[in-house]
Amino acid sequence: MEKIKVHIVGDIVLSKKIGKGLKKWREIFNISQIEIARYLNLSPSVISDYEAGRRKNPGVNTIKRYVDSLIELDKRNGGHTIKALQKILNPSSMEPILQIKEYKSPIKIVDFLNAIEGELPINYQNNNINKTQNTQEIDERLKAQIFGHTVVDSVKAILEMNGQDFLNLYGWTTERALIFTNVSTGRSPMVAIRVSSIKPRLVVFQGVSYLDRLAVKLAEIENIPLIITKLSVDELLDRLKNSFD
Amino acid sequence: MEKIKVHIVGDIVLSKKIGKGLKKWREIFNISQIEIARYLNLSPSVISDYEAGRRKNPGVNTIKRYVDSLIELDKRNGGHTIKALQKILNPSSMEPILQIKEYKSPIKIVDFLNAIEGELPINYQNNNINKTQNTQEIDERLKAQIFGHTVVDSVKAILEMNGQDFLNLYGWTTERALIFTNVSTGRSPMVAIRVSSIKPRLVVFQGVSYLDRLAVKLAEIENIPLIITKLSVDELLDRLKNSFD
DNA sequence: TAATTATTTCGACAAACGTCTAAATAAAGT
DNA sequence: ACTTTATTTAGACGTTTGTCGAAATAATTA
């Protein structure tokens, strides 16, 4: 919110014509001069004077109060303009999460892999794109530890979650497995991880019909081990529920 | 560079004490009051008055000239502070962006659509999923206005950008067209928009071979008009460059 | 077409700004 | 300790801002 305000104010102050800058943002927020005047307890002609550039060097308080009014009035209108920011501040439904668990002690990825009958994708093992991805290095990374897991229905997640929601997948640590069920190709979940700022330690796909090449490549770029399991959703949830305690 | 200036100016104007805000940035740039005074052809006491908050509501030109002097004097001294700030505020390469433009005045989406020979996807028009998506409502939304556009190579964008980079696509307003080139199915770009906090006003796909159904559905959920263009990348960039001035 | 609402234009005026100059104080350098 | 440089403080004054209110114009609605 504050960051957006800094950008709006900075943009207006640096406009070649301050008045036009004010008007531009008022139009973006879809608010009338009369509404702003009422909010600020000013005559409507004052707002028109501002936007017409009657004064060549308005004071900074004028700009601040004008921008404040845009934001507050937008809020009152259940405002779309700052809706994305409001979404960030108010987490929405967690329904796409099927199971989330923090472990009492860290678990090695190789043990996790065994518990869910997971396997590395075939072309992951034979990949020549990243020459460092040899057997020895994969073994090294499978020795890494995780502290929890989150199971997500990937279809629901992609449809219902936004950036902030994505952060909520991580519990208290990102050192965890992120498990996507009903995946199909795997591209969408991996793209979502790609654009997210926070990365899991391990990604597991359940329900793969055809593993997408870009998904594999993105996993490599992110340096995240990618595992496939052929268990059903119920069986997977059961195994996870009764393990790692 | 301009972005840094917007950030500095916005930060100063929104400071609880403008004078302290000015001083903070002067100290960051490691420049003396006397240097600023010389640059601006003012008496040194004037700069001190500014920073001491002698006047409660200084004019925007005062702030602009002060910040200009910081930037210009830093440039003369090798630009070290500017370079450091660029790293902080804009960490990675902007290479995936092919073109970014702010319009001098708002453009109707319908006019934009005509300029790039854009069309609505077939199943978008006939879709029954969202019953409100009838011809009349689509026409209404095509009357909406945009204030700029960003053209992005979608393959490079997905591979090289993270969440913060995605915000950089928006210039100074989200009321813009986001144009993805070399799209193929369109699913990845639309997923990326899905998980991003900030949404464009309009999405354009270039280079579509098979339009993905999920991409269309995501556009509807986000309430973002989705347009397809058959122009080549070069032709598209050319048309955009020479339009909307 | 007429009524209503929104915006623009402009004169007026009290308050505040922008800047100078002079003198004092603080900080840095020798 | 002394000198030099940087910064602060305060009085003064011409210029500009912020705002009101009235009237006119433009846009929207009935």
Side-chain angles (χ1 to χ4, degrees):
Chain A
M1 169 66 91
E2 188 63 18
K3 190 173 185 180
I4 289 292
K5 200 170 171 180
V6 166
H7 277 305
I8 296 175
V9 167
D11 181 60
I12 291 170
V13 170
L14 291 172
S15 301
K16 288 185 175 177
K17 297 195 171 187
I18 306 288
K20 284 188 183 264
L22 291 171
K23 183 166 182 172
K24 172 184 122 178
W25 283 102
R26 179 173 65 79
E27 287 176 336
I28 286 170
F29 277 81
N30 196 30
I31 292 169
S32 70
Q33 289 182 347
I34 283 188
E35 287 177 277
I36 295 175
R38 283 199 198 104
Y39 180 82
L40 295 176
N41 281 322
L42 295 171
S43 301
S45 57
V46 171
I47 307 304
S48 183
D49 280 339
Y50 289 170
E51 294 183 7
R54 190 182 196 196
R55 307 303 184 195
K56 304 305 173 196
N57 185 24
V60 297
N61 290 343
T62 297
I63 311 299
K64 280 162 79 173
R65 284 188 297 132
Y66 187 102
V67 173
D68 278 343
S69 73
L70 295 182
I71 291 171
E72 288 307 315
L73 288 166
D74 191 61
K75 275 180 177 175
R76 289 182 188 180
N77 298 336
H80 302 293
T81 311
I82 55 175
K83 193 172 182 177
L85 293 168
Q86 285 176 324
K87 275 186 182 177
I88 290 168
L89 293 172
N90 294 309
S92 61
S93 171
M94 306 280 270
E95 276 178 329
I97 297 180
L98 305 179
Q99 187 183 105
I100 185 165
K101 194 173 185 179
E102 313 293 335
Y103 304 154
K104 288 191 167 73
S105 54
I107 299 295
K108 280 178 181 173
I109 291 180
V110 62
D111 293 330
F112 182 87
L113 193 151
N114 289 334
I116 62 167
E117 292 182 23
E119 60 199 45
L120 293 165
I122 294 296
N123 48 345
Y124 196 89
Q125 298 173 16
N126 300 331
N127 198 339
N128 293 325
I129 295 173
N130 186 344
K131 293 211 177 78
T132 59
Q133 291 299 322
N134 56 32
T135 307
Q136 189 178 26
E137 189 154 279
I138 291 172
D139 285 350
E140 277 303 309
R141 283 157 60 210
L142 293 183
K143 285 175 181 172
Q145 294 176 320
I146 53 176
F147 295 74
H149 70 253
T150 308
V151 187
V152 173
D153 184 286
S154 67
V155 176
K156 288 179 181 173
I158 299 302
L159 291 178
E160 295 177 20
M161 296 173 62
N162 62 28
Q164 182 58 40
D165 292 338
F166 221 82
L167 297 182
N168 295 326
L169 297 179
Y170 290 94
W172 53 264
T173 177
T174 58
E175 299 295 312
R176 74 193 303 110
L178 197 53
I179 306 159
F180 292 93
T181 65
N182 299 318
V183 154
S184 185
T185 69
R187 178 180 283 204
S188 299
M190 210 61 225
V191 166
I193 290 174
R194 178 73 181 136
V195 299
S196 169
S197 308
I198 310 291
K199 315 293 176 186
R201 171 61 62 189
L202 168 71
V203 168
V204 179
F205 285 166
Q206 184 277 337
V208 171
S209 52
Y210 164 72
L211 187 60
D212 184 60
R213 199 168 297 152
L214 180 61
V216 176
K217 189 174 179 183
L218 290 176
E220 286 166 359
I221 290 172
E222 295 289 349
N223 208 38
I224 301 174
L226 172 61
I227 291 179
I228 310 298
T229 181
K230 286 173 174 147
L231 300 176
S232 70
V233 176
D234 290 336
E235 198 169 8
L236 177 65
L237 290 174
D238 229 34
R239 294 222 190 170
L240 290 171
K241 186 175 179 182
N242 301 320
S243 304
F244 319 129
D245 281 325
Chain B
M1 170 65 87
E2 185 64 18
K3 187 174 185 178
I4 290 171
K5 202 170 170 181
V6 167
H7 180 82
I8 296 173
V9 167
D11 184 63
I12 292 170
V13 170
L14 290 172
S15 303
K16 286 186 176 176
K17 296 196 172 187
I18 306 288
K20 286 188 181 267
L22 292 170
K23 183 167 182 172
K24 170 185 127 182
W25 283 102
R26 180 173 64 81
E27 288 175 337
I28 287 171
F29 277 83
N30 195 30
I31 292 170
S32 69
Q33 291 182 345
I34 283 186
E35 286 180 276
I36 295 175
R38 284 199 198 104
Y39 180 83
L40 295 176
N41 283 319
L42 295 172
S43 301
S45 58
V46 171
I47 307 304
S48 184
D49 279 339
Y50 289 171
E51 293 183 9
R54 191 181 196 199
R55 305 304 181 195
K56 303 305 173 197
N57 184 24
V60 297
N61 289 343
T62 296
I63 311 299
K64 280 161 82 175
R65 282 189 297 128
Y66 186 103
V67 173
D68 278 343
S69 72
L70 295 182
I71 291 171
E72 289 306 315
L73 288 166
D74 189 63
K75 274 180 177 175
R76 291 183 187 179
N77 297 337
H80 301 300
T81 307
I82 288 295
K83 284 168 187 168
L85 288 171
Q86 275 176 327
K87 280 180 183 177
I88 292 167
L89 295 177
N90 191 16
S92 65
S93 168
M94 303 282 271
E95 279 178 327
I97 297 181
L98 305 179
Q99 189 184 102
I100 185 164
K101 194 174 186 180
E102 313 292 335
Y103 303 153
K104 288 191 167 72
S105 53
I107 299 296
K108 280 178 181 170
I109 289 178
V110 64
D111 292 329
F112 183 89
L113 193 152
N114 288 334
I116 62 167
E117 292 181 21
E119 58 197 57
L120 292 165
I122 292 296
N123 48 345
Y124 195 89
Q125 297 171 18
N126 300 331
N127 199 339
N128 293 326
I129 295 174
N130 185 344
K131 295 214 177 77
T132 59
Q133 288 302 319
N134 56 32
T135 305
Q136 190 178 25
E137 188 154 281
I138 291 172
D139 284 349
E140 277 304 310
R141 285 157 58 210
L142 293 184
K143 285 176 181 172
Q145 293 176 323
I146 53 176
F147 293 75
H149 69 254
T150 308
V151 187
V152 175
D153 184 285
S154 66
V155 177
K156 286 180 183 172
I158 300 302
L159 291 177
E160 295 177 21
M161 294 173 65
N162 59 28
Q164 180 57 40
D165 289 339
F166 218 82
L167 298 181
N168 294 330
L169 298 179
Y170 289 95
W172 307 129
T173 176
T174 58
E175 300 295 312
R176 74 194 302 108
L178 197 54
I179 304 158
F180 291 92
T181 64
N182 301 318
V183 156
S184 188
T185 68
R187 177 177 285 204
S188 297
M190 211 63 226
V191 166
I193 289 173
R194 179 71 181 141
V195 300
S196 170
S197 308
I198 311 291
K199 316 293 174 185
R201 172 59 61 190
L202 166 71
V203 169
V204 179
F205 284 165
Q206 184 275 339
V208 173
S209 51
Y210 165 76
L211 187 60
D212 183 60
R213 199 168 298 152
L214 181 63
V216 176
K217 189 174 179 182
L218 292 175
E220 286 165 1
I221 289 171
E222 294 289 349
N223 209 35
I224 300 174
L226 173 60
I227 291 177
I228 311 296
T229 180
K230 286 176 171 143
L231 299 177
S232 69
V233 176
D234 289 336
E235 197 170 8
L236 178 65
L237 289 176
D238 229 34
R239 293 220 190 171
L240 292 170
K241 186 176 179 181
N242 299 321
S243 303
F244 320 128
D245 284 326

